[in-house]
Structures are given as C-alpha cells and as structure tokens.
Amino acid sequence: MLKPTNPERAAASRSRSSSKDVAQLAGVSTATVSRALNSPDAVDPETLARVRAAAAKLRYVPHGGARSLRSQRTRMIGAVVPSVEYALYARTTSAVHQRVSARGYSLVLAEHHYDLDAELRVTAQLVQHGVDAFVFVGLDHHPALFSLLDDYGRPYVLTWGVDPLRRHPSVGFDNHAAAYQVTRHLVELGHQHIGLLSAPLQGNDRGMARGEGMRAALADAGLALDPRHVQYAPIHLDTAGEGMMKLISAPNRPTAVVATNDIFAVGGMVACRNAGLRIPQDISITGIDNTDLGATQTPGLTSVRTPIIEIGHAAAEQLMARLEGKDYEAFQSFPIEVVYRGSTAAPKKA
C-alpha cells in the first residue's frame, strides 16, 4: 500500500508556460492562440497546427478552468480510451462508472482512435475543464502526457496492463502471457503452422504484447511465425473475415490461427465456414478475452479469460482513494485463464 503524498496538488505550484510563450513559439499573436484553442474552426488549418504543436511542446493548458479548480474538486473522472466502439473497452469503462457513480463522482468519456497525439490533446482539454483524475488504456503513451498530468497535479492510472518498470500506477493483466498460453495450447495439440490475426500495432501496446507472446511460445517450441501467415486489420468482424481469407489462401496455409481478440476469432470462424473449412477438423482458431460472442459460437471458441471488469473496478477505487487522501495499491495484476472449448483440436493428418 502506498501512502498518499498528494504530489498532484503540490505540483500545481510549479511555473507553467503562458499563452505568450505559445504565441512566440508558433509565430502568432496571443489572440490567435486564444482563438486556436477555444474556437479552432475560426483559424486556418496551418496556423491551428502550429499553435497546437507549440502548446504541446510547452505543455501549455489554458489556465482558466485549471487554475480556478486547483483548490476544489469537480468530482469528475476522465476515461480516455482508444475507441468506444470496441465492446471490451466499453465494459471496462462501464465498470469504472459503476464504482465512481456510487460514490458521487461523474465519469467523462473521450476517445482517441489509437492516435497518441490526439490522446494528449483531448486530455489537455479535459484538464482545462477541471477533470480531477484520469483512466487510460494501455502502457504506451505520448511522453508529454505524463508531464502534463504531473504539472497540473492530476492523478491517473493505466489499465489493461501493468507497468513492468513500475513508473506509472497501473492495473491490468499480462497480455504477453495470454497469447503465450493459448499458443502453447495449440503447439501441444501438434500444430506447427500457426497464423496470427491481429489489430494494427500503432498506438496499441496490447496488440504488440500479444503478438510477442505468440512468437515467444513458438520460439520455445522451436518454431517460428511465417511472415506470410500474419494479417493485421481493424477490429471488426468483416475486416477479421477478410484477414482470415488471406491467411487460408496463403501458401502452406496455417492449420491453426491465434486471433488477438474474440472479435477477430469469430470473424475468422465465419470466413472459414464460408470457405468450406470445418472448425476444428480443418483449422483450429483461438481468441483472447473470452467474450459471450465467442462462447456462443458453434463450436465454442477457445479463448483466454481476462479481467476486464475487475480492472475497471480497481482503477476506480485507486483514483478515488488518491483523490480522498487514502492509502492505495499503485500496481495490481490480475490472473488470466485459458478457457478450452471446441474450436481447437489436433491438426488433421496428411
């Protein structure tokens, strides 16, 4: 347990950049800075980009709301997520909301579409509007994000992973281990040609860790991932199906596929059925996150149970404890578990 040192408010006394500093760096007037940050549609795109870049470099946030709220709480907590369309992020966010709402806090939701510059920008806007604390997804973020939060005394917690260097408070689980374990299951069944269906990796340390976990399991078995057996796609059933069609059309096609989440896995299952492949007789498929979508397939999807609700509850409890000056657990790692169902079996003998 950590004692509340309240560095968040102590940091508020540090000197900060002014709008004049931003104007000088961007080569515009302070009036233009004000328009760019408060009425961006009134500024031409090139000037707006220069002002935003200067503000980000100087870690500038307009002082109005932030300064007036340094001595009092708004009881608002911000959840800044990659996408509100992805059901699992929505479930974690809902779990945060359940806990904070019960204690009289409000949750403010924003998304950044896997763009870390956009994440920094929207967080700065929420700081400007007096949001007290923040929940983020994943471990990799723009370096200026943490400087901004420290400068303005805003506690935060990272979710869906645990910082191995213990630099940033975090609650989550081991994404590397999730993919490692399910890949090892396929190897133990006898599969040697295993494909990977994954989300794009930019701004997505969860997907990167899962891909690395799969490759590690293969390496430990003396195997390697064939570059022809890797597909990246946005997280949708239809794009997952398109990726799977490319995998099963590849030379020496894989006999099993690790999907880095259940949406990819189910989209892949649909594509395989449409192509006349039987699951698991002709191809085995696994997912991660153990959703109802995967569990209700025929056959049911072998997947990895991840603690998406638990981490939402833990993140909420940590932030409220810090805001209220109570002891808190800065780092919490929750267990995962492979759930074996009918989508995996030994490869068909030649």
Side-chain angles (χ1 to χ4, degrees), residues 72-158:
Q72 63 184 36
R73 301 293 188 187
T74 63
R75 301 189 72 82
M76 290 193 299
I77 292 176
V80 184
V81 303
S83 172
V84 296
E85 293 182 354
Y86 187 37
L88 298 185
Y89 293 153
R91 290 185 67 190
T92 298
T93 304
S94 178
V96 173
H97 178 260
Q98 289 170 5
R99 288 296 171 90
V100 302
S101 179
R103 299 257 289 276
Y105 291 85
S106 297
L107 188 71
V108 181
L109 179 63
E111 61 181 343
H112 57 78
H113 301 288
Y114 299 92
D115 182 339
L116 300 186
D117 289 328
E119 180 186 50
L120 173 62
R121 184 169 61 251
V122 73
T123 301
Q125 292 168 344
L126 292 175
V127 168
Q128 179 185 355
H129 286 86
V131 171
D132 285 333
F134 290 88
V135 179
F136 299 102
V137 172
L139 303 179
D140 292 344
H141 300 273
H142 196 297
L145 178 70
F146 302 117
S147 298
L148 169 74
L149 295 168
D150 289 342
D151 282 352
Y152 280 86
R154 296 305 194 259
Y156 62 88
V157 61
L158 310 183

